[in-house]
Amino acid sequence: MFVSGVKADGSIKVRAVDNFTESMCNPCTKPTEKLRNDTLDLFFEVLRMLSKKLGVAVPLRMFKADIDAAFRRVPLLPEHRRFAYVAFLVERRTVIAGHAAMPFGSIASVHHWDRVGSLLCAIARRILKIPMLRYVDDFFSADRLVSADKAMDVFARLVRCCLGQTAVAKDKLECDNPLTILGIRVTLNAEGVTFFPDEKKVEKWTSQIESYLDVKRLTEGESSKLSGALQWGSQKIFNRLGRAMLRPLIRCVLACGCFVTCFMCRHS
């Protein structure tokens, strides 16, 4: 089990993740393509282009959509399902279960979802004419104030049509200004746009970093999630200040997968 956050009611949110690294499945997998996600820098360019095309007098509004259980929306080929069994203990009894969809914890799941996510983006851009951007399973864009909510609903209909009616919950659709995107509070006004880390996200990240420093240990999964959450600091809109701070963390994890910062490990 993996603790992935806290629910609105304050209870811990957990997610079942199969350890494909310990079972040596992931080390035997070699990705054949490099994944690329859209960034806040690109979102800034989209906002600037929209403002230029529509005119500064036309107010904009942002929206976003988060796919529920994105990996689990990608089915496995029937002939591949014999490789997707997992074993675990339940009250001292061994239970064996098979997956019919891509499981959490597998490198292959990330790459297969990336193809599906890229397809959704391509359809939204080329056919629906929505300047949609994507970071893994988080989709975000902007449109005229009067039509942004309609653009969001159209994209949600596309996702549900392709991945099922439960693919996007109503509470995973947001259309507002300001709006938190990828952990950053984005605010549009007549003078331009401002980006600032969301206060709740800052509190969460600070708490996580402090807990890792206390135990002086960081697992591969934790490091990947933390570095992904802090990637905003390496964007041009933040003068790329975070690149210097993230590099020791990523280099250290790639070398040994253990400690947090450069002064804790000889590999950094």
Side-chain angles (χ1 to χ4, degrees), residues 247-259 261 265 267-268:
R247 189 177 293 112
L249 167 63
I250 296 174
R251 185 167 64 243
C252 180
V253 171
L254 290 175
C256 62
C258 59
F259 294 126
T261 52
C265 180
H267 292 292
S268 59

Side-chain angles (χ1 to χ4, degrees), residues 167-184:
V168 182
K170 288 185 178 180
D171 60 351
K172 294 298 183 68
L173 292 170
E174 293 185 53
C175 184
D176 208 348
N177 179 31
L179 184 65
T180 299
I181 298 176
L182 304 182
I184 301 299

Side-chain angles (χ1 to χ4, degrees), residues 62-78:
M62 301 166 289
F63 62 90
K64 65 179 182 179
D66 184 12
I67 311 300
D68 287 331
F71 292 173
R72 307 296 290 168
R73 303 282 170 184
V74 184
L76 286 167
L77 289 173

Side-chain angles (χ1 to χ4, degrees), residues 2 15-16 40 47 52 55 60-61 76-77 120 127 142 158 167 191-192 201 242 257:
F2 171 73
R15 176 177 293 170
L40 290 171
L47 294 173
K52 182 178 179 180
L60 300 177
R61 196 179 186 191
L76 286 167
L77 289 173
L120 291 173
I127 299 178
L158 167 66
E191 298 178 352
K201 294 291 185 179

Side-chain angles (χ1 to χ4, degrees), residues 1-4 12-19 88 222:
M1 301 299 286
F2 171 73
V3 178
S4 59
I12 296 177
K13 181 180 178 181
V14 297
R15 176 177 293 170
V17 178
D18 303 315
N19 196 332
F88 52 95
E222 292 168 341

Side-chain angles (χ1 to χ4, degrees), residues 119-243:
L119 175 62
L120 291 173
C121 252
I123 295 174
R125 294 169 182 171
R126 300 177 185 179
I127 299 178
L128 303 179
K129 308 305 180 183
I130 301 173
M132 187 63 64
L133 302 180
R134 179 181 67 92
Y135 193 97
V136 189
D137 59 352
D138 293 321
F139 294 82
F140 51 99
S141 187
D143 206 327
R144 299 176 179 88
L145 177 64
V146 296
S147 58
D149 57 345
K150 180 60 66 174
M152 179 184 70
D153 291 339
V154 168
F155 178 73
R157 289 176 61 188
L158 167 66
V159 175
R160 290 166 182 156
C161 180
C162 296
L163 303 179
Q165 290 301 311
T166 61
V168 182
K170 288 185 178 180
D171 60 351
K172 294 298 183 68
L173 292 170
E174 293 185 53
C175 184
D176 208 348
N177 179 31
L179 184 65
T180 299
I181 298 176
L182 304 182
I184 301 299
R185 194 73 167 171
V186 185
T187 305
L188 299 174
N189 53 53
E191 298 178 352
V193 56
T194 60
F195 294 80
F196 198 85
D198 184 77
E199 292 183 1
K200 292 183 179 179
K201 294 291 185 179
V202 171
E203 183 178 349
K204 175 183 176 180
W205 298 329
T206 302
S207 176
Q208 289 178 339
I209 293 173
E210 288 178 347
S211 66
Y212 299 146
L213 288 170
D214 287 341
V215 298
K216 292 183 175 61
R217 187 175 185 277
L218 187 66
T219 66
E220 183 178 356
E222 292 168 341
S223 65
S224 177
K225 195 172 184 67
L226 181 61
S227 61
L230 300 179
Q231 282 296 322
W232 55 268
S234 64
Q235 302 299 302
K236 184 177 181 180
I237 56 176
F238 290 98
N239 295 320
R240 302 194 183 280
L241 177 64
R243 295 181 66 184

